[in-house]
Amino acid sequence: MAGADSPVVAPVDPGFVHLRVHSEYSVVDSIVRLDALAEAAAADGQPAIALTDLANLFGWIKFYKAARARGLKPIVGVDAWFTNDADRDRPWRMLVLARDAGLDLLRVHGHVSRPELYESADELGVLVWQDFMFACSMYPGDDAFLENVRQEAVDNIRRLRNHPSIALWCGNNEIDVAWAEYDEKRGWGWKQQYNKTQRAAIWQAYDTLFHVLLPEVVSRHDPDRFYWPSSPMADYGELAGNNTQK
């Protein structure tokens, strides 16, 4: 793994492909229609698109036809819940399926999993995108809270940093795109609920936590690994979206 001072070399014309997408067939959390999904991906110049509905395969055929009709490579998957009858705490099958499908990176989404997951990933050669435990909410910025976060982050980094499967540390899930500090018309409507003074304080707390504290902790305790503040996120000060996240 490259050292902390090594330059980051971007691949030639990397493009962008959504590898985790829920559609209208994931009734509990999505209303995305498959034709519209394929149309948007094609219009954005994406070479492929994935469908990974929650615990069902009902949309696969319709998705496959919609993607191929627009010149996209369809990538079929599923957000599935698997148990191992021999050992219910050891999620082997999930990782084997990911490896056999040609995927080389999994995201531990907004939490820290059991040690067996990382041990399995190490053995199978599957990389792990590791989130810190923050998602879909703004957080306090007082000294006591930030110190508690610092100690918890140090503990988790020290616990996981010797696993070769850990590819990067991500500060949070979806908060940057939900708040949308740099675009008044975008986001999830959170910031519009506060006055100017309140909004400044809330964003300052976010900025301190995810742009100062956590990257400093990662740099000190796991300096050879990359830190990314939020996902999705196009760049510092630029809101992620189909037209920016490339």
Side-chain angles (χ1 to χ4, degrees):
M1 185 173 292
D5 296 327
S6 300
V8 177
V9 179
V12 177
D13 189 23
F16 176 78
V17 176
H18 284 284
L19 293 178
R20 183 177 182 269
V21 180
H22 287 186
S23 77
E24 58 191 310
Y25 291 94
S26 294
V27 181
V28 298
D29 65 1
S30 177
I31 57 172
V32 173
R33 296 188 178 276
L34 296 176
D35 285 331
L37 170 67
E39 191 69 36
D44 193 44
Q46 298 180 26
I49 187 68
L51 179 68
T52 57
D53 274 317
L54 183 63
N56 78 81
L57 315 177
F58 301 143
W60 274 18
I61 294 176
K62 183 177 180 180
F63 164 72
Y64 182 89
K65 292 179 178 179
R68 290 296 300 270
R70 294 163 177 83
L72 301 171
K73 177 181 179 180
I75 304 172
V76 290
V78 64
D79 267 353
W81 300 99
F82 292 105
T83 59
N84 182 341
D85 291 335
D87 184 350
R88 295 178 66 85
D89 292 328
R90 196 171 181 86
W92 277 100
R93 190 178 180 189
M94 179 182 68
L95 291 175
V96 170
L97 288 174
R99 182 187 63 175
D100 291 347
L103 302 179
D104 58 7
L105 185 143
L106 297 174
R107 183 179 180 190
V108 178
H109 192 272
H111 67 283
V112 176
S113 291
R114 294 179 62 89
E116 292 83 356
L117 184 144
Y118 304 98
E119 294 167 4
S120 300
D122 294 343
E123 295 172 11
L124 293 169
V126 175
L127 297 175
V128 174
W129 167 308
Q130 179 62 55
D131 279 14
F132 286 101
M133 296 176 66
F134 301 98
C136 302
S137 179
M138 304 305 285
Y139 289 89
D142 59 276
D143 292 343
F145 179 80
L146 293 176
E147 181 58 28
N148 187 64
V149 170
R150 180 188 301 277
Q151 293 181 22
E152 182 175 308
V154 169
D155 179 70
N156 280 299
I157 291 171
R158 288 177 174 175
R159 185 167 61 87
L160 297 177
R161 64 186 177 186
N162 290 329
H163 286 287
S165 56
I166 300 293
L168 65 84
W169 299 93
C170 181
N172 69 72
N173 173 62
E174 295 183 341
I175 304 178
D176 184 85
V177 72
W179 185 262
E181 172 70 10
Y182 301 103
D183 191 330
E184 185 63 28
K185 296 181 180 180
R186 298 181 67 179
W188 296 358
W190 295 358
K191 60 180 178 285
Q192 286 80 7
Q193 301 177 46
Y194 301 95
N195 62 41
K196 184 176 180 180
T197 301
Q198 292 170 327
R199 286 170 57 166
I202 292 170
W203 179 251
Q204 181 60 51
Y206 176 92
D207 190 51
T208 300
L209 176 54
F210 297 109
H211 296 162
V212 179
L213 188 153
L214 286 177
E216 286 180 351
V217 172
V218 172
S219 177
R220 179 175 179 181
H221 295 280
D222 197 9
D224 288 335
R225 284 196 174 95
F226 186 66
Y227 171 83
W228 191 243
S230 183
S231 177
M233 182 178 175
D235 203 350
Y236 286 91
E238 184 177 4
L239 188 65
N242 287 342
N243 62 329
T244 60
Q245 198 175 34
K246 296 183 178 179

